[in-house]
Structure formats: structure tokens, C-alpha cells
Amino acid sequence: MAIGSPTQLANGGSYTADSGSDRIVLVVLTANGGNPPAPPTAMTLNGVALTSIVYEVDNAGTTGKVHSGQFYIKESNIPTGSNTLSWTWGSTPAGFDRAIVFTLTGINQTTRIGSTSSASEDSSTTISSGSLSVSVDDLVLCHCTVASGPTTISDPSGYINDINVNSSPYNFNDQSVTHKIVTANGTESPAFTISAASGGVATFSVIKAAAGGGGGTFKPYWALNRSSIINSGIS
């Protein structure tokens, strides 16, 4: 299994899937700002619908509703070239919404997704997945976002940080994406720790590897659909 460089896009941004075999394009969606109270009604890449993996909304956050969601499109449906990623809300977020997009290769195309979990917290500094069933070579993907910032998010122990934004140059809420390639059958229970309880959510998913998928390396890259590019301390 290998993981490409993630790119952050605003609604309507363009994305080109990495080359490879047994791929999925995976999208992590976040939103904040009072509305909407529910997940988007649709998400498409070049008009092709993505499948929802897991979604969580914190309706009691101190600064409004905050969202974390994961979606994917399988190999046979991935369009070629540069394509528009778009999503539709029942009501537009009062604050912002954006997606982190990347291509994974070496994914089981029959059973792409295993265990999933989600959680929200308003009075605790820990947001945990609970127990996730895993097998060797699976990838556990975790996303955490909080309603206000700057708030430091510490990744689950033993997980590799992909993106961690702890400042708000463009009124971001703070968020982190992290992953782990599993080396033994059993369970995983990743947990994020935040520096202040301010309304936060997290989603967790197990991505199943194709036979002989093996491990991979992540090449983090943080890009906005703007004129500016931000590398938040990522080497």
C-alpha cells in the first residue's frame, strides 16, 4: 500500500489522481460555523459520486457545529486527468468548508473499508476511536478537527502525522490527519489529545490492503486552492 501527497481544496477545486493500481481517491471533509447540522447531500469528482465512509458532527461545540467526514471513490470509477471535486450542503456553512484529498494505491477492491468509528467531545481533551479491528498491512486513517483555535492537537501514539495545522492564518480551525500501517492482526484504539476542550470531532477508518499490499510512505503536502501554499512545519 502506498499513499500519495494530500492536497487541500475548496469546494469546486481541481484534483488529479496519482497513477498506480488498485487505487482509491480518499477525501477528508471538514466544516465549521453554525450550519449545516448534517453531512453534505452529495460529493462528486467529475460528476462521479463518492461513497461515504464515516461522518461525525458536533452540534454542541462552543463556536458552532464542526464536521469531520471521510469519503472515497474506487479504482474503476476514478476519472482521468484534472477533475472538479464538489459537494452540496442542505445549507451552506456559516464559517468555511474544505477537503483534504489524496490517492491510495494497493487497496483491496472487493473489501475496501473495514472498521470505522467517530467521536465528538465538548468537555474532554481526549477524542478516541474505541476499538478498531485490524489486519496486517491495513491502514488506519484518523482525522481530528476542533471548533476554535489555535488549539494544539496531539496525534495518537505511534501514528505518523500527515497534516497538523495549529494556527489560523486563513481562519482555519485546527485539524490533524494521521495514519498507521498495521503490522499485526488485532485491534487499534487511536486517540487524539487537544490542549483545550472547545468542541471537537474525529473520524477513524480502516482501509484494507490488497493481497501483498505492504507498507508505504507518505509525502505530506499542504496546498490551498488559493495563491498561497502553506507548509505547516512539515518536512
Side-chain angles (χ1 to χ4, degrees):
M1 183 185 293
I3 311 169
S5 302
T7 300
Q8 183 179 1
L9 298 175
N11 199 345
S14 296
Y15 180 75
T16 301
D18 297 343
S19 60
S21 60
D22 293 328
R23 298 172 300 167
I24 65 171
V25 171
L26 196 144
V27 176
V28 175
L29 182 67
T30 185
N32 186 16
N35 282 309
T41 57
M43 177 180 286
T44 62
L45 183 65
N46 193 37
V48 180
L50 279 77
T51 299
S52 177
I53 300 173
V54 60
Y55 207 94
E56 181 74 17
V57 182
D58 175 30
N59 286 310
T62 57
T63 59
K65 301 171 181 68
V66 61
H67 295 236
S68 171
Q70 300 181 27
F71 302 80
Y72 78 92
I73 185 170
K74 64 182 180 180
E75 172 71 53
S76 61
N77 292 338
I78 297 174
T80 59
S82 178
N83 296 281
T84 299
L85 177 72
S86 61
W87 53 93
T88 303
W89 299 100
S91 54
T92 303
F96 66 87
D97 56 344
R98 58 180 56 83
I100 300 164
V101 193
F102 47 95
T103 304
L104 285 74
T105 58
I107 306 302
N108 188 314
Q109 293 296 305
T110 302
T111 306
R112 291 168 288 277
I113 308 300
S115 299
T116 65
S117 179
S118 64
S120 64
E121 292 290 349
D122 293 298
S123 59
S124 173
T125 56
T126 300
I127 307 179
S128 176
S129 70
S131 181
L132 300 171
S133 178
V134 297
S135 301
V136 173
D137 290 338
D138 286 349
L139 182 145
V140 182
L141 184 79
C142 313
H143 174 245
C144 179
T145 185
V146 295
S148 61
T151 302
T152 300
I153 301 174
S154 298
D155 293 331
S157 177
Y159 280 64
I160 297 171
N161 177 255
D162 306 317
I163 294 170
N164 194 322
V165 177
N166 292 321
S167 59
S168 302
Y170 293 107
N171 295 320
F172 292 171
N173 64 329
D174 300 327
Q175 59 182 311
S176 180
V177 176
T178 186
H179 79 276
K180 179 179 182 179
I181 302 291
V182 176
T183 57
N185 297 338
T187 60
E188 286 285 324
S189 300
F192 289 96
T193 302
I194 56 178
S195 59
S198 60
V201 295
T203 53
F204 309 86
S205 66
V206 177
I207 312 299
K208 307 297 289 185
T217 57
F218 203 171
K219 300 168 288 182
Y221 186 73
W222 183 264
L224 286 179
N225 188 29
R226 303 171 184 247
S227 60
S228 298
I229 295 177
I230 299 175
N231 288 296
S232 300
I234 303 172
S235 59

